[in-house]
Structures are given as C-alpha cells and as structure tokens.
Amino acid sequence: MEKYEGTDFYIIDDLLTEEQRLIRDTVRDFVDDHVVDVIDDCFMEDKFPTELIPMLGELGLLGANLDGYECAGLDNTAYGLIMQELERGDSGLRSFVSVQGGLVMYPIHRYGTEEQKQKFLPELAAGRMIGCFGLTEPDHGSNPSGMITHAVEDGDSYVLNGNKMWITNGCVADVAVVWAKLDGRIRGFLVEKGTEGFSTTKQGKKFSLRASITSELHFQDCRIPKENLMPGADGLGGPLSCLTQARYGIAWGATGAAMACFDAAKKYSLSRIQFDKPIASFQLVQQKLAEMFTEITKAQLLNLRLSQLKEDGKMTAQHVSMAKRNNVHWALEIARSARDLLGANGVTHEYPVGRHMLNLESVKTYEGTHDIHALILGHEITGIAAYK
Amino acid sequence: MKIAVCIKRVPDTATRLNFAGDGTSLDQSEVQWIISPYDEFAIEEGLRLKEKVGDATVTVITCGPAASTKEIRQALGMGADDAVHITSEVDLDPAQIAHCLSSVLKDRGDDIVLFGRQSADAQGSQMGALVASQLGRPFANNIAKLDVEGSEVKIERDVDGGRETLESSLPIVLGADKSLNEPRYPKLKDIMKAKKKPIESVEIDPGNVAFETKAITPPPPRPEGRVVGEGPEAVEELIRLLREEAKVI
C-alpha cells in the first residue's frame, strides 16, 4: 500500500503544532494501514467495517475533542484533522466517528447528568458502546421543529411515540440520543437498546454512504426511566448545537474526501498515456487539476480559521454553515471532475473517486442541505429568515 | 531496568527527494521527516520489555537538529518515558554520531540499548556496532526475537533463510529487525501527554569528521521497457529472457 502524502500548497503545516501534525500523521497512517484496502469492499457489500471500532476507540478518535471521561481532550484543529484523514478514507467512516463524537457524546457531555456521563461516555469513547442521534423524521428533515415524536410523563417514566429516519448507526446503536417534544418543548432522551417499544429498521437501497449503517427508529409506547432525560437541553437549540459540532467535522472531512480524489486524479493523469503522452500534458486536464488544487487549498484555510474561531469561543453556527456548504460543494465538484478525468476507469471501483463522489451526494444533503445553509447565510446577511 | 532506544529521523520513505545544488546533500526544504522505520521496531520492543518487566524506564535518544523534537514526541507518544536530544544543526558523520551517543550512554548505565538494524536513508548498519564497541558491550544486530529473564538475554536472529538462537547477558546493545514486532500507533491522548514528558537537550563536541561526503548522485534512469511478444506465445521468450538476460529467476 502506497503511503498518502497529502496536499499542502500553502504550507499550512507550518501553522500546526507538533502535536497536531503528529495526530494527523497517526490517523493518516491508520487510514492507509487499515481502511483504504477494505473500505471499497464494505461499500460494495453495504456494510460498516465494525472490526475497526475497537481500534478507533483505542486510538482515541471517538469524542476526541471532549475533556474527561476517558476522552482524548484534543484541541479543535487536531479534531478537524482527524475528520479530514478519516474521510480521506471514506465519508461513511467519518460519519460513524462524527455521530459517535459530535452527536452522541457531545450532548451527553454538555446536557447530561453526571450519572449519564459516567455511565455512557467512557464506554462510547472506547468504542465498547455505539450511539446514534435521532432528530430527523420521515416528514421533517430541514424543518426539525415540526417533529411529531413526543414524550408523555407517566409516573417515574416518560413514554415515547414516533419515528425517526436517516439515522446513522441506528440498528447497531447501544444508546440512542432521541429528540422528542415534551409538553411542546424539544427535549433530549437517552434510549437504550432493548428497551421495550424501541425498534429499528435498516434503510437499504442506498447508492451513497454504503459503508455506513442507516436506519429508521421506531418508538411505540416506549417507556424509559425519568433519569434518561438530559436535563441541560430545552428547545431546538439543544439538537442544533450538536449539529454545529458535527457540521464542523464535516467541513474538515469533506476536504479529506476532496484530497483523496485530487490525489487519484493527479496520479492517474500522470500515468495515463494518450496520443503518446501523459494526459496530464493536456491543457484541459491541467485546468481541472488547477481548479481542484485551488479549491482544496481554500477549504483547508477556511477549516483552519474556523478551528481557531472555535478554539477562541467565537465560532457561530453561521461560520460553520459557510464552511460546511462550501467545502462539501467543492468536494463533490472535485470528485465529479476527478471522475471525469479518469475516463471510463472513473466509474469502476478500481479507483476511490466514484465512491467518494457517491458518498458526497449524501454529505451535501445531510446535516443541513446545501440550500438550507445558503438560507442560514442569507439570514445572517439580511436579517430575514427565508425558511420561516 | 533501564532501557535506551536510539532513533534517527530520516526523510519519509514516500517523499520524492531532490538534490541540493552543491551535489553533496539533499534539498531538505520540502522533506517530510519520520522516525526511521527500523527504529520504530526498537521503540516498540523497548516498550514491550518495559510492560513485561514493570519496573523499567524507556529513554529515547537522538542526535539531530532542533526540529527532531517531532520524532521525539512521537516516540514519547508511543509510551517512552523521557528523551535525550543531542542537538546538532549540521549533518554529522557516523563516527561523530556514535561518539555523541556513546558520550550520553556511558554515564547512564542502561541495561539494554536498542537501535534499528539500519537507518532507512544512509543504510550504514553500523551505529549499534560502533556504540557497542565504544561502550565495551556485546552487540547483536537484526534481532527477530528477544527474551529477557533476570540478567539472561535470549535472542533469535534471521540468518540467510534460517534462524540463529543466541544467549548473552545484560548489559547489551541490540539492533531490531522488522520481524521483531509490530509497532503501535501512538494514542492521541498519549501524544498530548507527551508534551509534558521531559526532553533533556545536550550539546556534545562531535570531534573530527572521519568521512566527508564528496558527491551524491541519483540512480541512472531506468532503461525503457521492451515488448517481447503478445499473448501466451510470448511466455516462453519472456521466461528465457528473465532467466538468461535479467537473471532474476
């Protein structure tokens, strides 16, 4: 297996600390050694590489930017670099880690009780437990506040009813962070696997994120103890704050997918001979490569600045919207362009670009669609919310 | 038990190297540096020995420029306890490096000093032997298995298709081969902890240069390929050429 060298035209490495570079290189090696060779088969077979989960935990990749409870306590740049390297392998793998860290461990860490933290966080950090995040519903995607799933207080329990859809890790999760309305307010509940009235269905027939498990969650008179309510979250701000965390990781991750596509396109264009010379000699090919190179560099700079804002406590959800929207858009464009550059080989699984391209169609849509993020930025600019 | 592991930073084996204008050195501006891969086996073996013995320390020692702290931190992130950094901004020759390492090692009283069997760049395979001779200790290179019981040391080495078993005693100097173990990834938490582990920085007069590099030259370009035929009919001719001309089968 050839080692991946990275793309760093603006010498951003000089802006990273020694530890950040070491962390990036460690995850890069891990992806080269354990992901690249197996992930395409996983994609073809529609399965997540579960054998990697203990290693993800052992290395400290799960909830890596959280403090305490056996988490690695890394800074946000290091966390972003992890996401970049994982998604260079596959968006499905990065999604697993994003969901576990940003959407499950983060809300428990921020909104949970001490008992909930003690019970779940060390297990989730080690990968001994898997988590999922239930917000989206069959009829409520971009408008989560319209959710139907609700909870009713009954003695020392809450009783949940409703359905969630497009839930990463759903079928395999040991604990689900479920957002439901209690007395009209959106609250977060922890539902453990095996709870009566809680069931899951695997969503199949995907052409994207096939190396990731997507599920529906069903709650039918599902009774959970009162101590499974996360007291710190009250209102839509709770789940949205989680999405901000995950989207932050996506901005970095998509850049990693773009870097993988660029790497494949560059190597291919230098080795593919047509008209007695490498196709990299042709102006149209060079133009494509130049475009990819430029957009990757811009995305890297956006990510680094975003991480500094996050570290300084100045990052807003709108900052994240811009990076998520821009970087995923360009990652998908780069994947398509790389697919094009690879000719017929681009549609085969001999090269990673087709898989990244298909994956990125999901990444563009989940965690706030491309268009919704434009409206968030429109709201930021004009003060007028177009989605209300 | 005191364990010392001597490491060297080398250009990443995936890096494409460019020659500097002087014709005697590499252009280092775009080089990515890594711990020489054989040295990683030495670090791993030191850590395993520590984990087995319990009461032990692993010290990483390197001789190199200030920027070598990245490779030191990686070794500390893997689990080494502390490090000695012999700083030198100029390239030293092997005899000078051996002198520097020995100067540090002779006062430390390590039970085991581990090296990689050779560096990935210069491939001299001499550092362990040079240091062992200066310390007056036994040395075995290319070790594929190591067992330490008390002060007894049992070593296996891969030799020309077979395996050699040796016995010796502490203190000893050993060179690690790749069949010795599989180096661990540093855990991310431990990379952060490594920031707080002590690195002692020392300056040592390296003495006189024994060898001066006069020139380094890239390998000659590969000759163009030759098509000997097509389809199954070409197999016989291909085998003949591989046997008689290339002499590889």
Side-chain angles (χ1 to χ4, degrees):
Chain A
M1 176 63 228
E2 197 178 348
K3 268 186 85 174
Y4 176 68
E5 282 178 65
T7 301
D8 184 16
F9 187 53
Y10 267 31
I11 319 172
I12 296 169
D13 254 25
D14 284 1
L15 304 176
L16 304 178
T17 65
E18 221 163 56
E19 288 77 23
Q20 288 162 351
R21 279 184 281 143
L22 260 176
I23 287 164
R24 190 260 326 269
D25 293 348
T26 300
V27 181
R28 183 169 286 180
D29 287 347
F30 166 75
V31 170
D32 276 342
D33 296 344
H34 298 283
V35 178
V36 172
D37 286 343
V38 303
I39 201 68
D40 210 79
D41 287 340
C42 291
F43 185 96
M44 294 293 277
E45 291 161 24
D46 202 12
K47 71 175 176 76
F48 181 78
T50 44
E51 67 280 6
L52 296 180
I53 297 172
M55 286 161 105
L56 298 171
E58 173 85 358
L59 272 171
L61 301 177
L62 304 173
N65 59 345
L66 299 176
D67 284 318
Y69 308 96
E70 311 292 322
C71 302
L74 304 185
D75 65 73
N76 288 296
T77 307
Y79 176 77
L81 289 164
I82 293 172
M83 297 297 138
Q84 173 189 293
E85 294 306 317
L86 291 174
E87 196 153 353
R88 187 197 37 108
D90 190 80
S91 303
L93 176 65
R94 199 270 308 137
S95 295
F96 177 90
V97 175
S98 275
V99 168
Q100 184 91 344
L103 297 181
V104 178
M105 296 174 70
Y106 173 81
I108 295 174
H109 195 273
R110 179 163 174 189
Y111 302 121
T113 62
E114 189 54 36
E115 290 71 29
Q116 290 167 349
K117 293 179 198 183
Q118 299 279 4
K119 180 176 178 185
F120 292 109
L121 291 177
E123 295 296 303
L124 290 162
R128 289 188 294 268
M129 276 183 128
I130 299 171
C132 71
F133 176 89
L135 176 66
T136 298
E137 297 189 352
D139 295 322
H140 295 90
S142 295
N143 177 23
S145 60
M147 69 171 62
I148 293 166
T149 304
H150 62 279
V152 176
E153 197 176 335
D154 183 24
D156 55 2
S157 324
Y158 293 111
V159 179
L160 290 174
N161 276 288
N163 294 290
K164 299 288 179 182
M165 200 173 182
W166 307 112
I167 309 304
T168 299
N169 300 347
C171 296
V172 294
D174 300 289
V175 58
V177 171
V178 179
W179 301 92
K181 281 184 181 162
L182 176 68
D183 300 326
R185 300 284 298 174
I186 294 175
R187 307 297 302 267
F189 301 88
L190 300 172
V191 183
E192 293 181 67
K193 189 180 196 163
T195 306
E196 206 180 327
F198 172 38
S199 60
T200 60
T201 317
K202 185 177 173 181
Q203 287 181 247
K205 298 189 178 176
K206 290 182 295 172
F207 66 71
S208 179
L209 293 184
R210 288 174 58 82
S212 167
I213 297 159
T214 310
S215 319
E216 286 188 58
L217 312 181
H218 315 289
F219 303 96
Q220 195 167 18
D221 295 328
C222 174
R223 185 176 290 273
I224 57 166
K226 264 195 171 162
E227 59 261 28
N228 283 20
L229 170 79
M230 292 188 291
D234 186 5
L236 188 60
L240 290 188
S241 71
C242 303
L243 293 177
T244 300
Q245 301 305 311
R247 289 165 182 169
Y248 170 82
I250 293 171
W252 283 87
T255 310
M259 287 161 70
C261 292
F262 172 69
D263 186 56
K266 179 180 141 187
K267 285 185 180 140
Y268 185 85
S269 65
L270 285 165
S271 63
R272 171 77 173 168
I273 309 292
Q274 288 294 285
F275 306 102
D276 302 324
K277 52 187 176 183
I279 60 168
S281 322
F282 296 105
Q283 292 182 355
L284 288 174
V285 170
Q286 292 194 2
Q287 193 269 345
K288 282 190 174 70
L289 292 172
E291 200 83 72
M292 296 180 195
F293 198 40
T294 306
E295 292 305 331
I296 286 170
T297 303
K298 284 156 73 176
Q300 289 171 333
L301 291 167
L302 212 53
N303 288 338
L304 185 68
R305 179 59 187 149
L306 188 66
S307 75
Q308 292 166 345
L309 291 173
K310 191 170 188 326
E311 207 59 33
D312 293 346
K314 294 179 185 165
M315 184 185 85
T316 64
Q318 290 77 10
H319 287 135
V320 181
S321 284
M322 179 181 279
K324 191 271 181 185
R325 180 174 186 271
N326 179 78
N327 295 1
V328 178
H329 167 77
W330 279 106
L332 180 54
E333 289 302 313
I334 287 166
R336 287 171 177 162
S337 188
R339 210 294 307 146
D340 201 14
L341 201 151
L342 264 65
N345 284 310
V347 303
T348 72
H349 280 273
E350 293 297 310
Y351 296 87
V353 297
R355 176 170 47 84
H356 281 297
M357 183 182 79
L358 294 170
N359 282 338
L360 287 162
E361 292 288 354
S362 289
V363 181
K364 192 179 182 183
T365 296
Y366 74 15
E367 304 262 1
T369 67
H370 183 73
D371 289 344
I372 286 289
H373 284 298
L375 298 186
I376 290 170
L377 291 173
H379 186 181
E380 171 76 15
I381 299 160
T382 64
I384 305 164
Y387 39 74
K388 279 187 182 160
Chain B
M1 180 182 284
K2 283 183 79 175
I3 303 160
V5 185
C6 299
I7 65 169
K8 179 185 184 184
R9 72 169 201 159
V10 298
D12 190 332
T13 43
T15 304
R16 268 183 298 277
L17 296 173
N18 297 313
F19 292 89
D22 63 7
T24 65
S25 61
L26 294 173
D27 174 6
Q28 301 192 350
S29 59
E30 286 183 32
V31 171
Q32 297 285 328
W33 298 90
I34 58 168
I35 296 175
S36 182
Y38 284 110
D39 298 348
E40 288 195 16
F41 300 110
I43 297 167
E44 178 64 33
E45 198 61 21
L47 297 173
R48 290 186 187 193
L49 195 54
K50 176 187 164 166
E51 283 157 5
K52 188 181 154 213
V53 173
D55 184 20
T57 55
V58 176
T59 302
V60 173
I61 305 174
T62 197
C63 181
S68 315
T69 50
K70 174 173 167 279
E71 287 69 45
I72 294 175
R73 294 283 177 209
Q74 184 182 339
L76 295 173
M78 286 172 77
D81 298 285
D82 56 6
V84 180
H85 183 181
I86 305 161
T87 52
S88 172
E89 293 303 323
V90 294
D91 282 344
L92 302 176
D93 76 17
Q96 290 176 307
I97 294 170
H99 169 76
C100 291
L101 292 173
S102 303
S103 305
V104 168
L105 287 163
K106 70 177 165 34
D107 300 326
R108 286 178 41 87
D110 294 290
D111 300 288
I112 293 197
V113 181
L114 288 158
F115 286 81
R117 59 174 271 186
Q118 65 184 63
S119 60
D121 55 353
Q123 302 185 0
S125 302
Q126 57 182 317
M127 197 51 62
L130 287 173
V131 168
S133 103
Q134 293 191 23
L135 296 176
R137 293 187 196 166
F139 172 64
N141 207 5
N142 302 354
I143 64 161
K145 192 165 187 293
L146 172 65
D147 280 314
V148 180
E149 291 294 340
S151 64
E152 298 302 308
V153 180
K154 199 169 158 189
I155 297 156
E156 291 183 22
R157 300 174 66 243
D158 286 323
V159 284
D160 200 20
R163 202 162 251 221
E164 178 182 58
T165 303
L166 303 170
E167 280 184 3
S168 187
S169 57
L170 300 176
I172 197 167
V173 181
L174 300 169
D177 203 352
K178 64 180 174 213
S179 47
L180 189 56
N181 55 48
E182 188 172 339
R184 68 195 67 188
Y185 298 105
K187 292 177 190 170
L188 305 191
K189 218 186 304 182
D190 294 339
I191 292 176
M192 301 311 287
K193 279 190 202 149
K195 219 171 10 181
K196 297 193 185 78
K197 290 183 177 174
I199 301 177
E200 184 192 350
S201 185
V202 296
E203 278 184 47
I204 292 170
D205 178 0
N208 296 329
V209 173
F211 290 99
E212 194 184 338
T213 305
K214 299 305 286 182
I216 54 169
T217 49
R222 267 197 256 176
E224 256 189 60
R226 180 155 41 116
V227 178
V228 298
E230 277 186 24
E233 296 78 48
V235 172
E236 207 173 311
E237 176 66 358
L238 187 62
I239 288 173
R240 188 188 69 77
L241 288 169
L242 286 171
R243 187 171 288 144
E244 293 173 15
E245 202 172 291
K247 297 191 168 67
V248 290
I249 57 171

